[in-house]
Amino acid sequence: MFEEINDFETGFKKLLDDVLEFDIQNPLKDVKKVLCIEPHPDDCAIGMGGTIKRLTERGVKVIYLCMTDGYMGTTDETITGHELAQIRRKEEEESAKILGVKKIYWLNYRDTELPYTREVRKDIVRIIRKEKPDGVFLPDPWLPYEAHPDHRTTGFLALDAVAFSSLPNFSNIDLDMGLKPHLVSFVALYYTHKPNYFVDITDLMDLKLKAIRVHRSQFPEDIWEIWEPFLRTVALYYGQKAGVKYAEGFRIMPGLFYHITPFAELI
């Protein structure tokens, strides 16, 4: 029987520590497998490349799920979208190897046109049920001023899928395929303006940049001259908050907190 609690702070701490057994100070401590969902074939490396390397170095299995084909990601008028999609797939595979990632799922929706539909949710749910990750990383769909619809849509779709992956009557055809419902323990939002957890990547910053630069179609010399200082500035921003030089920031929440929770921002 849950004892009566008369003040919010005590109840909040007890909920996290005793009921949910969620350690916000070290939420990735016991993970064995995580799914990193990205809108395009470079977002995992850009958003959390250092963290991915940290995880794979200690034996955590990191799996990518890329939502779109990268068809639109060029200013080069001499290359077709079809050619670019093939190039970006190879670049992603090379970049993933640098970070220790061995498995990538591709949903191949058209870049800039990712639909927010039940069918796409079912695609993500099926992969969650197949892989059974402890946690799911996704772009924060509430990032202020985010202009790219694929980023916003990916974030909302991923949250939907995490919420529904444990429900047997959602896409119950999965049951016929032998894929059982799966409850994800936590979500971690990258590209976030409200981080509550940081990973020190000071010693991995150069490796992260190397993994990003592998996406040569996205970062030719003239563009890289702008993007390298931008990427370093983002890492310095999170690092300043974390008290280190370079960091990656995440908004991490236990499963209960991403539905009807008025105090989710307090975690």
Side-chain angles (χ1 to χ4, degrees), residues 158-182:
L159 286 167
D160 294 352
V162 167
F164 299 154
S165 62
S166 64
L167 306 178
N169 288 331
F170 183 84
S171 192
N172 53 17
I173 191 174
D174 289 351
L175 301 179
D176 297 332
M177 298 169 59
L179 301 177
K180 301 297 184 182
H182 176 67

PDB file of all heavy atoms in Angstrom, residues 158-182:
ATOM      1  N   ALA A 158       7.688   9.509 -33.088  1.00  0.00           N
ATOM      2  CA  ALA A 158       8.452   8.635 -32.195  1.00  0.00           C
ATOM      3  C   ALA A 158       7.806   8.559 -30.817  1.00  0.00           C
ATOM      4  O   ALA A 158       7.703   7.478 -30.223  1.00  0.00           O
ATOM      5  CB  ALA A 158       9.893   9.132 -32.091  1.00  0.00           C
ATOM      6  N   LEU A 159       7.358   9.701 -30.298  1.00  0.00           N
ATOM      7  CA  LEU A 159       6.667   9.695 -29.007  1.00  0.00           C
ATOM      8  C   LEU A 159       5.375   8.889 -29.075  1.00  0.00           C
ATOM      9  O   LEU A 159       5.055   8.117 -28.162  1.00  0.00           O
ATOM     10  CB  LEU A 159       6.379  11.121 -28.560  1.00  0.00           C
ATOM     11  CG  LEU A 159       7.582  11.916 -28.058  1.00  0.00           C
ATOM     12  CD1 LEU A 159       7.229  13.390 -27.943  1.00  0.00           C
ATOM     13  CD2 LEU A 159       8.064  11.383 -26.725  1.00  0.00           C
ATOM     14  N   ASP A 160       4.621   9.070 -30.155  1.00  0.00           N
ATOM     15  CA  ASP A 160       3.402   8.270 -30.346  1.00  0.00           C
ATOM     16  C   ASP A 160       3.726   6.779 -30.308  1.00  0.00           C
ATOM     17  O   ASP A 160       3.051   5.987 -29.640  1.00  0.00           O
ATOM     18  CB  ASP A 160       2.760   8.583 -31.700  1.00  0.00           C
ATOM     19  CG  ASP A 160       2.230   9.991 -31.828  1.00  0.00           C
ATOM     20  OD1 ASP A 160       2.213  10.711 -30.813  1.00  0.00           O
ATOM     21  OD2 ASP A 160       1.838  10.363 -32.950  1.00  0.00           O
ATOM     22  N   ALA A 161       4.752   6.402 -31.060  1.00  0.00           N
ATOM     23  CA  ALA A 161       5.097   4.983 -31.181  1.00  0.00           C
ATOM     24  C   ALA A 161       5.536   4.401 -29.845  1.00  0.00           C
ATOM     25  O   ALA A 161       5.174   3.258 -29.504  1.00  0.00           O
ATOM     26  CB  ALA A 161       6.199   4.803 -32.228  1.00  0.00           C
ATOM     27  N   VAL A 162       6.313   5.162 -29.086  1.00  0.00           N
ATOM     28  CA  VAL A 162       6.728   4.694 -27.766  1.00  0.00           C
ATOM     29  C   VAL A 162       5.502   4.495 -26.875  1.00  0.00           C
ATOM     30  O   VAL A 162       5.389   3.500 -26.149  1.00  0.00           O
ATOM     31  CB  VAL A 162       7.714   5.691 -27.128  1.00  0.00           C
ATOM     32  CG1 VAL A 162       7.912   5.384 -25.652  1.00  0.00           C
ATOM     33  CG2 VAL A 162       9.056   5.644 -27.858  1.00  0.00           C
ATOM     34  N   ALA A 163       4.564   5.432 -26.944  1.00  0.00           N
ATOM     35  CA  ALA A 163       3.364   5.344 -26.117  1.00  0.00           C
ATOM     36  C   ALA A 163       2.497   4.154 -26.497  1.00  0.00           C
ATOM     37  O   ALA A 163       1.837   3.544 -25.638  1.00  0.00           O
ATOM     38  CB  ALA A 163       2.558   6.635 -26.230  1.00  0.00           C
ATOM     39  N   PHE A 164       2.485   3.787 -27.786  1.00  0.00           N
ATOM     40  CA  PHE A 164       1.574   2.748 -28.263  1.00  0.00           C
ATOM     41  C   PHE A 164       2.223   1.369 -28.389  1.00  0.00           C
ATOM     42  O   PHE A 164       1.520   0.374 -28.586  1.00  0.00           O
ATOM     43  CB  PHE A 164       1.002   3.143 -29.627  1.00  0.00           C
ATOM     44  CG  PHE A 164       0.211   4.423 -29.616  1.00  0.00           C
ATOM     45  CD1 PHE A 164       0.091   5.183 -30.771  1.00  0.00           C
ATOM     46  CD2 PHE A 164      -0.413   4.872 -28.462  1.00  0.00           C
ATOM     47  CE1 PHE A 164      -0.633   6.366 -30.767  1.00  0.00           C
ATOM     48  CE2 PHE A 164      -1.141   6.051 -28.451  1.00  0.00           C
ATOM     49  CZ  PHE A 164      -1.251   6.808 -29.604  1.00  0.00           C
ATOM     50  N   SER A 165       3.537   1.283 -28.291  1.00  0.00           N
ATOM     51  CA  SER A 165       4.214   0.009 -28.555  1.00  0.00           C
ATOM     52  C   SER A 165       3.864  -1.074 -27.539  1.00  0.00           C
ATOM     53  O   SER A 165       4.021  -2.266 -27.819  1.00  0.00           O
ATOM     54  CB  SER A 165       5.729   0.203 -28.592  1.00  0.00           C
ATOM     55  OG  SER A 165       6.219   0.664 -27.345  1.00  0.00           O
ATOM     56  N   SER A 166       3.380  -0.682 -26.367  1.00  0.00           N
ATOM     57  CA  SER A 166       3.018  -1.666 -25.347  1.00  0.00           C
ATOM     58  C   SER A 166       1.559  -2.109 -25.432  1.00  0.00           C
ATOM     59  O   SER A 166       1.117  -2.971 -24.669  1.00  0.00           O
ATOM     60  CB  SER A 166       3.291  -1.098 -23.950  1.00  0.00           C
ATOM     61  OG  SER A 166       2.460   0.024 -23.698  1.00  0.00           O
ATOM     62  N   LEU A 167       0.798  -1.520 -26.369  1.00  0.00           N
ATOM     63  CA  LEU A 167      -0.633  -1.815 -26.470  1.00  0.00           C
ATOM     64  C   LEU A 167      -0.878  -2.899 -27.521  1.00  0.00           C
ATOM     65  O   LEU A 167      -0.679  -2.660 -28.712  1.00  0.00           O
ATOM     66  CB  LEU A 167      -1.404  -0.547 -26.846  1.00  0.00           C
ATOM     67  CG  LEU A 167      -1.173   0.674 -25.944  1.00  0.00           C
ATOM     68  CD1 LEU A 167      -1.953   1.870 -26.469  1.00  0.00           C
ATOM     69  CD2 LEU A 167      -1.549   0.363 -24.500  1.00  0.00           C
ATOM     70  N   PRO A 168      -1.317  -4.086 -27.127  1.00  0.00           N
ATOM     71  CA  PRO A 168      -1.446  -5.187 -28.084  1.00  0.00           C
ATOM     72  C   PRO A 168      -2.444  -4.926 -29.198  1.00  0.00           C
ATOM     73  O   PRO A 168      -2.297  -5.454 -30.300  1.00  0.00           O
ATOM     74  CB  PRO A 168      -1.877  -6.367 -27.212  1.00  0.00           C
ATOM     75  CG  PRO A 168      -2.422  -5.768 -25.966  1.00  0.00           C
ATOM     76  CD  PRO A 168      -1.676  -4.509 -25.757  1.00  0.00           C
ATOM     77  N   ASN A 169      -3.455  -4.083 -28.944  1.00  0.00           N
ATOM     78  CA  ASN A 169      -4.453  -3.838 -29.974  1.00  0.00           C
ATOM     79  C   ASN A 169      -4.057  -2.742 -30.951  1.00  0.00           C
ATOM     80  O   ASN A 169      -4.782  -2.468 -31.907  1.00  0.00           O
ATOM     81  CB  ASN A 169      -5.793  -3.485 -29.332  1.00  0.00           C
ATOM     82  CG  ASN A 169      -6.443  -4.697 -28.687  1.00  0.00           C
ATOM     83  OD1 ASN A 169      -6.223  -5.824 -29.130  1.00  0.00           O
ATOM     84  ND2 ASN A 169      -7.209  -4.482 -27.645  1.00  0.00           N
ATOM     85  N   PHE A 170      -2.890  -2.113 -30.725  1.00  0.00           N
ATOM     86  CA  PHE A 170      -2.371  -1.192 -31.720  1.00  0.00           C
ATOM     87  C   PHE A 170      -1.503  -1.986 -32.682  1.00  0.00           C
ATOM     88  O   PHE A 170      -0.517  -2.593 -32.297  1.00  0.00           O
ATOM     89  CB  PHE A 170      -1.535  -0.070 -31.089  1.00  0.00           C
ATOM     90  CG  PHE A 170      -1.041   0.928 -32.110  1.00  0.00           C
ATOM     91  CD1 PHE A 170      -1.852   1.971 -32.521  1.00  0.00           C
ATOM     92  CD2 PHE A 170       0.217   0.791 -32.687  1.00  0.00           C
ATOM     93  CE1 PHE A 170      -1.409   2.882 -33.474  1.00  0.00           C
ATOM     94  CE2 PHE A 170       0.671   1.699 -33.639  1.00  0.00           C
ATOM     95  CZ  PHE A 170      -0.148   2.737 -34.032  1.00  0.00           C
ATOM     96  N   SER A 171      -1.905  -2.001 -33.931  1.00  0.00           N
ATOM     97  CA  SER A 171      -1.191  -2.783 -34.945  1.00  0.00           C
ATOM     98  C   SER A 171      -1.061  -4.236 -34.500  1.00  0.00           C
ATOM     99  O   SER A 171       0.031  -4.803 -34.423  1.00  0.00           O
ATOM    100  CB  SER A 171       0.197  -2.189 -35.211  1.00  0.00           C
ATOM    101  OG  SER A 171       0.777  -2.758 -36.357  1.00  0.00           O
ATOM    102  N   ASN A 172      -2.226  -4.847 -34.209  1.00  0.00           N
ATOM    103  CA  ASN A 172      -2.179  -6.208 -33.679  1.00  0.00           C
ATOM    104  C   ASN A 172      -1.715  -7.244 -34.704  1.00  0.00           C
ATOM    105  O   ASN A 172      -1.499  -8.406 -34.363  1.00  0.00           O
ATOM    106  CB  ASN A 172      -3.541  -6.622 -33.092  1.00  0.00           C
ATOM    107  CG  ASN A 172      -4.683  -6.420 -34.072  1.00  0.00           C
ATOM    108  OD1 ASN A 172      -4.458  -6.279 -35.277  1.00  0.00           O
ATOM    109  ND2 ASN A 172      -5.904  -6.398 -33.567  1.00  0.00           N
ATOM    110  N   ILE A 173      -1.517  -6.810 -35.952  1.00  0.00           N
ATOM    111  CA  ILE A 173      -0.910  -7.719 -36.923  1.00  0.00           C
ATOM    112  C   ILE A 173       0.504  -8.092 -36.493  1.00  0.00           C
ATOM    113  O   ILE A 173       1.009  -9.160 -36.851  1.00  0.00           O
ATOM    114  CB  ILE A 173      -0.905  -7.088 -38.331  1.00  0.00           C
ATOM    115  CG1 ILE A 173      -0.530  -8.136 -39.387  1.00  0.00           C
ATOM    116  CG2 ILE A 173       0.053  -5.909 -38.389  1.00  0.00           C
ATOM    117  CD1 ILE A 173      -0.649  -7.630 -40.811  1.00  0.00           C
ATOM    118  N   ASP A 174       1.130  -7.227 -35.682  1.00  0.00           N
ATOM    119  CA  ASP A 174       2.459  -7.547 -35.164  1.00  0.00           C
ATOM    120  C   ASP A 174       2.437  -8.832 -34.352  1.00  0.00           C
ATOM    121  O   ASP A 174       3.408  -9.607 -34.363  1.00  0.00           O
ATOM    122  CB  ASP A 174       2.976  -6.410 -34.286  1.00  0.00           C
ATOM    123  CG  ASP A 174       3.351  -5.175 -35.089  1.00  0.00           C
ATOM    124  OD1 ASP A 174       3.367  -5.257 -36.337  1.00  0.00           O
ATOM    125  OD2 ASP A 174       3.641  -4.137 -34.469  1.00  0.00           O
ATOM    126  N   LEU A 175       1.341  -9.051 -33.631  1.00  0.00           N
ATOM    127  CA  LEU A 175       1.240 -10.265 -32.822  1.00  0.00           C
ATOM    128  C   LEU A 175       1.262 -11.502 -33.697  1.00  0.00           C
ATOM    129  O   LEU A 175       1.873 -12.520 -33.350  1.00  0.00           O
ATOM    130  CB  LEU A 175      -0.044 -10.237 -31.980  1.00  0.00           C
ATOM    131  CG  LEU A 175      -0.186  -9.068 -31.009  1.00  0.00           C
ATOM    132  CD1 LEU A 175      -1.510  -9.170 -30.268  1.00  0.00           C
ATOM    133  CD2 LEU A 175       0.974  -9.041 -30.036  1.00  0.00           C
ATOM    134  N   ASP A 176       0.631 -11.415 -34.849  1.00  0.00           N
ATOM    135  CA  ASP A 176       0.631 -12.541 -35.781  1.00  0.00           C
ATOM    136  C   ASP A 176       2.017 -12.802 -36.342  1.00  0.00           C
ATOM    137  O   ASP A 176       2.324 -13.920 -36.767  1.00  0.00           O
ATOM    138  CB  ASP A 176      -0.347 -12.269 -36.938  1.00  0.00           C
ATOM    139  CG  ASP A 176      -1.780 -12.141 -36.467  1.00  0.00           C
ATOM    140  OD1 ASP A 176      -2.119 -12.756 -35.437  1.00  0.00           O
ATOM    141  OD2 ASP A 176      -2.565 -11.428 -37.125  1.00  0.00           O
ATOM    142  N   MET A 177       2.851 -11.760 -36.326  1.00  0.00           N
ATOM    143  CA  MET A 177       4.226 -11.902 -36.813  1.00  0.00           C
ATOM    144  C   MET A 177       5.174 -12.327 -35.696  1.00  0.00           C
ATOM    145  O   MET A 177       6.382 -12.450 -35.915  1.00  0.00           O
ATOM    146  CB  MET A 177       4.701 -10.571 -37.409  1.00  0.00           C
ATOM    147  CG  MET A 177       3.889 -10.094 -38.601  1.00  0.00           C
ATOM    148  SD  MET A 177       4.301  -8.376 -39.052  1.00  0.00           S
ATOM    149  CE  MET A 177       6.047  -8.511 -39.409  1.00  0.00           C
ATOM    150  N   GLY A 178       4.626 -12.531 -34.510  1.00  0.00           N
ATOM    151  CA  GLY A 178       5.457 -12.939 -33.383  1.00  0.00           C
ATOM    152  C   GLY A 178       6.115 -11.788 -32.651  1.00  0.00           C
ATOM    153  O   GLY A 178       7.008 -12.014 -31.828  1.00  0.00           O
ATOM    154  N   LEU A 179       5.679 -10.555 -32.915  1.00  0.00           N
ATOM    155  CA  LEU A 179       6.254  -9.388 -32.255  1.00  0.00           C
ATOM    156  C   LEU A 179       5.354  -8.991 -31.086  1.00  0.00           C
ATOM    157  O   LEU A 179       4.246  -8.498 -31.278  1.00  0.00           O
ATOM    158  CB  LEU A 179       6.386  -8.227 -33.241  1.00  0.00           C
ATOM    159  CG  LEU A 179       7.258  -8.484 -34.472  1.00  0.00           C
ATOM    160  CD1 LEU A 179       7.232  -7.272 -35.400  1.00  0.00           C
ATOM    161  CD2 LEU A 179       8.695  -8.809 -34.061  1.00  0.00           C
ATOM    162  N   LYS A 180       5.839  -9.200 -29.891  1.00  0.00           N
ATOM    163  CA  LYS A 180       5.068  -8.921 -28.690  1.00  0.00           C
ATOM    164  C   LYS A 180       5.123  -7.435 -28.335  1.00  0.00           C
ATOM    165  O   LYS A 180       6.092  -6.743 -28.657  1.00  0.00           O
ATOM    166  CB  LYS A 180       5.605  -9.743 -27.521  1.00  0.00           C
ATOM    167  CG  LYS A 180       5.567 -11.245 -27.738  1.00  0.00           C
ATOM    168  CD  LYS A 180       4.144 -11.733 -27.896  1.00  0.00           C
ATOM    169  CE  LYS A 180       4.104 -13.266 -28.019  1.00  0.00           C
ATOM    170  NZ  LYS A 180       2.713 -13.743 -28.218  1.00  0.00           N
ATOM    171  N   PRO A 181       4.093  -6.930 -27.659  1.00  0.00           N
ATOM    172  CA  PRO A 181       4.139  -5.544 -27.188  1.00  0.00           C
ATOM    173  C   PRO A 181       5.367  -5.309 -26.318  1.00  0.00           C
ATOM    174  O   PRO A 181       5.838  -6.206 -25.622  1.00  0.00           O
ATOM    175  CB  PRO A 181       2.845  -5.415 -26.370  1.00  0.00           C
ATOM    176  CG  PRO A 181       1.931  -6.438 -26.963  1.00  0.00           C
ATOM    177  CD  PRO A 181       2.810  -7.588 -27.346  1.00  0.00           C
ATOM    178  N   HIS A 182       5.883  -4.098 -26.380  1.00  0.00           N
ATOM    179  CA  HIS A 182       7.094  -3.771 -25.611  1.00  0.00           C
ATOM    180  C   HIS A 182       6.935  -2.420 -24.948  1.00  0.00           C
ATOM    181  O   HIS A 182       6.551  -1.437 -25.586  1.00  0.00           O
ATOM    182  CB  HIS A 182       8.319  -3.748 -26.528  1.00  0.00           C
ATOM    183  CG  HIS A 182       9.569  -3.326 -25.823  1.00  0.00           C
ATOM    184  ND1 HIS A 182      10.157  -4.090 -24.847  1.00  0.00           N
ATOM    185  CD2 HIS A 182      10.333  -2.193 -25.934  1.00  0.00           C
ATOM    186  CE1 HIS A 182      11.253  -3.485 -24.391  1.00  0.00           C
ATOM    187  NE2 HIS A 182      11.369  -2.330 -25.029  1.00  0.00           N
TER     188      HIS A 182
END
